[in-house]
Amino acid sequence: MTQESFEEQQEDLDPHRREERDSAALELSGRVRQKGVLLTGRETGSQLDDLMTAIERFEASVVTRGGDLFINTPSSDPPENPDFVIPRRVPGEDAEAYAARINEAATRLEKADL
């Protein structure tokens, strides 16, 4: 007898689970893209969640510092304050490394004397 993974067991119990998971990942990738973040299309649901969590933390840090999220976007030319713009993803950068850089930027804002 082989041991099934948790997800396989859950799919046996709910045949629509994979559909629901794929739908959630699609919705989350849309939300991440709306923030100006480039995606490769190979990010997992978990990676997308980590990215969104990092983005939300960064945005909260910007707002706490009095920044405006509408005029400090990756497409702002020029932004009001470049420190308030989410870091751009480096070509070839994996999702985990990018989320870590966003979190580092949030930490810098949280500790900055602006």
Side-chain angles (χ1 to χ4, degrees), residues 2-113:
T2 62
Q3 182 177 0
E4 290 183 291
S5 75
F6 175 78
E7 281 302 322
E8 289 169 336
Q9 290 173 357
Q10 294 304 307
E11 285 177 15
D12 288 342
L13 295 172
D14 179 3
H16 301 290
R17 184 170 176 86
R18 182 177 302 274
E19 259 178 50
E20 292 164 355
R21 207 173 54 240
D22 291 347
S23 177
L26 182 63
E27 186 270 334
L28 192 53
S29 67
R31 288 180 52 210
V32 170
R33 281 189 177 103
Q34 284 180 331
K35 303 296 183 177
V37 171
L38 298 176
L39 297 176
T40 64
R42 294 186 307 271
E43 292 86 0
T44 66
S46 177
Q47 291 171 329
L48 290 168
D49 186 51
D50 291 345
L51 281 170
M52 195 68 220
T53 300
I55 291 166
E56 288 172 345
R57 177 179 174 213
F58 179 83
E59 288 181 342
S61 298
V62 169
V63 170
T64 298
R65 292 295 183 174
D68 186 329
L69 298 175
F70 292 106
I71 58 175
N72 292 295
T73 68
S75 61
S76 296
D77 186 30
E80 177 185 48
N81 182 338
D83 291 334
F84 292 162
V85 177
I86 192 166
R88 291 192 184 273
R89 190 171 187 177
V90 177
E93 184 174 34
D94 66 34
E96 291 89 355
Y98 184 44
R101 279 197 318 110
I102 295 169
N103 278 314
E104 289 167 4
T107 299
R108 280 193 302 277
L109 282 176
E110 292 162 357
K111 293 180 178 180
D113 291 326

